[in-house]
Amino acid sequence: MLCKTRGIVLHAIPYNDKYSIIYMYTEAFGRASYLVARSRGKKSTVSKALFMPFSVLEMEVEHLNKRDLHRIRETKLCYPLTELFCNPVKNVLALFLSEVLFRVVKDTEPDQRLFDFLYESIRLLEYADEGVANFHLVFLLRLLHYLGIYPNADSFAAGCYFDMQNGVFVDRIPMHRHYLNREESHVFARLLKISFENMALYSFSRQDRVGIINRIVEYYRLHLPEFPEIKSLSVMQSLFD
């Protein structure tokens, strides 16, 4: 069945000498995998160069529900991504965040709210001039809403501890080791107010930024047991030395 949909590239791996598998999050089908030829003629309507992490594509696809791999008939970029591909900072952020999405977004049912969030976030990253160093922090925290594991920010009170295992602020040290001390909890509560609109107003040292992202990744791992090591994390952290 031929269908038109928008899709966001998450990951690509070689399938054999002739084809690659492109993992995408699509508007019409949720997560889906497509078989794409690794070398195409000049007249091809499917350009391999389009399938960079975080590319946002308009596609005509052959989609059969009983298949694991589908085909793309035609594709083009929804909007130019010059900065995302050429700016080294934005490029590494795209690699890191697309790897996270590849690991956590598994649902093959469409979610319009999630797709809209991803679509607009990528567009913002392309055009952002200020606060780019905080973009990944906003993205990862906002994504928690769509995964159903966003912390209870309303439970914060001065001098409390953030219980990472249960996602709430508490007035005493939890009986497990997955918690933030009072100072970290205060910083985290402030961080939960960050957004794409105000991210340029937040300033962190490299040490603080590394600590924050490590804690966010730890939170993901606690609530998503199959969340693996993110290989691009160390590369991303080195950006802001």
Side-chain angles (χ1 to χ4, degrees):
M1 179 176 66
L2 286 177
C3 304
K4 291 187 177 181
T5 184
R6 295 182 295 178
I8 295 164
V9 177
L10 305 181
H11 189 55
I13 61 170
Y15 180 68
N16 54 30
D17 292 340
K18 294 183 179 180
Y19 294 95
S20 293
I21 298 175
I22 311 296
Y23 296 92
M24 306 186 71
Y25 190 75
T26 69
E27 186 172 21
F29 310 110
R31 177 161 163 156
S33 305
Y34 296 93
L35 200 61
V36 174
R38 301 175 72 179
S39 178
R40 304 291 294 246
K42 293 182 179 180
K43 296 182 179 180
S44 172
T45 55
V46 180
S47 171
K48 185 180 69 171
L50 294 176
F51 298 105
M52 302 288 288
F54 261 24
S55 291
V56 185
L57 308 176
E58 291 182 6
M59 306 183 294
E60 184 176 66
V61 301
E62 293 180 9
H63 195 95
L64 297 175
N65 291 331
K66 293 183 180 181
R67 286 187 181 176
D68 293 328
L69 292 174
H70 310 281
R71 297 272 188 170
I72 299 175
R73 284 288 188 91
E74 295 184 8
T75 186
K76 64 179 181 178
L77 285 171
C78 289
Y79 47 78
L81 292 173
T82 306
E83 281 284 300
L84 222 62
F85 296 157
C86 299
N87 182 307
V89 172
K90 291 185 178 183
N91 184 252
V92 172
L93 287 175
L95 288 172
F96 168 66
L97 294 174
S98 62
E99 184 182 356
V100 171
L101 286 172
F102 174 66
R103 299 300 183 186
V104 303
V105 177
K106 304 289 188 180
D107 200 345
T108 54
E109 292 297 320
D111 183 335
Q112 189 65 51
R113 290 175 62 250
L114 174 57
F115 182 86
D116 290 343
F117 165 71
L118 299 178
Y119 184 94
E120 288 303 317
S121 296
I122 296 168
R123 187 182 62 81
L124 285 169
L125 179 58
E126 168 66 20
Y127 296 112
D129 293 321
E130 298 180 324
V132 174
N134 291 328
F135 181 90
H136 60 299
L137 303 180
V138 182
F139 184 94
L140 291 176
L141 289 172
R142 296 302 105 185
L143 181 61
L144 295 174
H145 279 292
Y146 303 95
L147 299 177
I149 54 175
Y150 191 77
N152 181 354
D154 294 336
S155 60
F156 175 75
C160 65
Y161 303 85
F162 181 61
D163 180 339
M164 297 182 71
Q165 189 165 289
N166 295 298
V168 296
F169 292 91
V170 295
D171 59 4
R172 63 189 65 187
I173 296 176
M175 300 297 291
H176 54 78
R177 61 186 178 88
H178 301 294
Y179 68 91
L180 305 184
N181 63 33
R182 286 175 173 172
E183 183 179 350
E184 290 175 320
S185 297
H186 182 78
V187 171
F188 189 67
R190 175 173 168 261
L191 193 63
L192 290 176
K193 297 178 182 180
I194 197 171
S195 65
F196 290 127
E197 291 72 26
N198 68 16
M199 64 184 181
L201 303 178
Y202 283 69
S203 178
F204 302 104
S205 68
R206 182 192 184 278
Q207 183 178 359
D208 288 343
R209 197 183 304 281
V210 169
I212 288 168
I213 191 62
N214 285 339
R215 288 302 205 176
I216 293 175
V217 169
E218 181 182 352
Y219 186 82
Y220 268 78
R221 190 163 287 120
L222 280 170
H223 293 271
L224 303 169
E226 296 182 1
F227 188 71
E229 178 185 358
I230 301 299
K231 295 179 181 179
S232 57
L233 176 59
S234 60
V235 178
M236 190 276 302
Q237 288 177 333
S238 69
L239 282 176
F240 308 110
D241 286 352

